[in-house]
Amino acid sequence: MIVEGERVKALVSQAKSEVILCSPFIKAKVLSVLLDVIRDGVSVVIVTRWRPAEVAAGVSDLEVLDLANERPQTEVRLLHSLHAKLYVADEHCLLGSANLTASALGWREDSNLELLVTAHRNDTEVAFLLGRLGGATPATFQLRSEVAELSANLDVPALDEANDIPPTAIPQARTPCLPGCAAPVRLNVVYQDPDTTTTVECTRADAIAELYYLLPPAYL
């Protein structure tokens, strides 16, 4: 089964100029996994929210600011009312219910049931949301310190999405590999565009599963 996290990874790894990661809850380890597959030179805008109670519950990590600060052309912006989940790579998008947490992206055995659907940046609803995200404010280390202090004084039980990624959750390349795609020529088609509609869904799914097994580098 192809989990939502692998679809997000495949999406952002194809970006040539810009990635937007919009999620109310973001765990640092999940963000690190995604940043690792984004090409150098691609700008990344991370839009999230920092509510002290949610930070105290472990569903949002303030360390995302450190990760962004370590990568060129990467920024974190905050929008207190944010609830939408939208992931953009140039013109292509995934949107739906999944936050950037291990539980939401299917990287745990006890993961949530989530949904992400494909969309285009110019779709009316997506364009409207992106316009609203323009009202987000830059995250600062001073604000991070203030939120950290407030959250430290709260006695809040941890929520499910606070769970970290298990070491075995993210697929790694293995050998030997038994071909699973019945039409090998389609493997390259799906490699070039994981969201292609030029092949039937079952073949596309087999091709994606095989590519995740092999983990070829992006833009091979």
Side-chain angles (χ1 to χ4, degrees):
M1 182 181 69
I2 303 170
V3 299
E4 301 296 3
E6 298 306 312
R7 295 183 64 209
V8 177
K9 280 177 60 181
L11 174 74
V12 300
S13 70
Q14 298 296 319
K16 298 180 180 179
S17 60
E18 181 185 35
V19 166
I20 300 173
L21 302 173
C22 170
S23 173
F25 300 165
I26 302 180
K27 296 293 289 180
K29 287 186 178 180
V30 170
L31 179 62
S32 179
V33 169
L34 297 180
L35 293 179
D36 282 347
V37 301
I38 297 174
R39 299 177 71 191
D40 293 341
V42 172
S43 67
V44 179
V45 178
I46 301 160
V47 185
T48 188
R49 72 188 192 204
W50 284 349
R51 296 181 181 178
E54 293 167 350
V55 173
V59 296
S60 287
D61 289 341
L62 300 178
E63 290 79 8
V64 299
L65 185 58
D66 300 273
L67 293 173
N69 192 55
E70 293 169 359
R71 185 187 185 278
Q73 297 178 262
T74 304
E75 63 175 314
V76 177
R77 301 182 67 84
L78 303 174
L79 193 61
H80 187 74
S81 60
L82 181 66
H83 191 266
K85 296 86 177 175
L86 172 68
Y87 310 114
V88 181
D90 299 331
E91 304 303 316
H92 302 284
C93 310
L94 287 170
L95 57 90
S97 64
N99 282 288
L100 294 185
T101 68
S103 295
L105 294 182
W107 285 338
R108 298 193 60 86
E109 290 185 2
D110 54 347
S111 292
N112 304 337
L113 181 61
E114 305 281 0
L115 175 67
L116 290 174
V117 298
T118 58
H120 192 276
R121 188 181 188 126
N122 291 332
D123 290 346
T124 302
E125 297 81 2
V126 175
F128 176 78
L129 174 57
L130 290 173
R132 293 288 302 274
L133 296 183
T137 59
T140 65
F141 282 97
Q142 179 180 349
L143 179 58
R144 172 195 155 147
S145 297
E146 293 172 358
V147 174
E149 182 176 355
L150 289 171
S151 63
N153 294 322
L154 296 176
D155 183 14
V156 179
L159 298 179
D160 288 341
E161 289 192 301
N163 294 324
D164 283 331
I165 303 175
T168 58
I170 301 174
Q172 301 295 321
R174 306 181 300 279
T175 56
C177 173
L178 298 177
C181 183
V185 68
R186 308 308 300 169
L187 200 63
N188 185 55
V189 174
V190 177
Y191 169 76
Q192 298 293 336
D193 180 12
D195 294 321
T196 181
T197 57
T198 62
T199 186
V200 296
E201 183 61 25
C202 60
T203 300
R204 189 182 76 89
D206 287 341
I208 290 178
E210 191 165 337
L211 288 169
Y212 286 151
Y213 191 104
L214 295 170
L215 290 181
Y219 302 97
L220 185 64

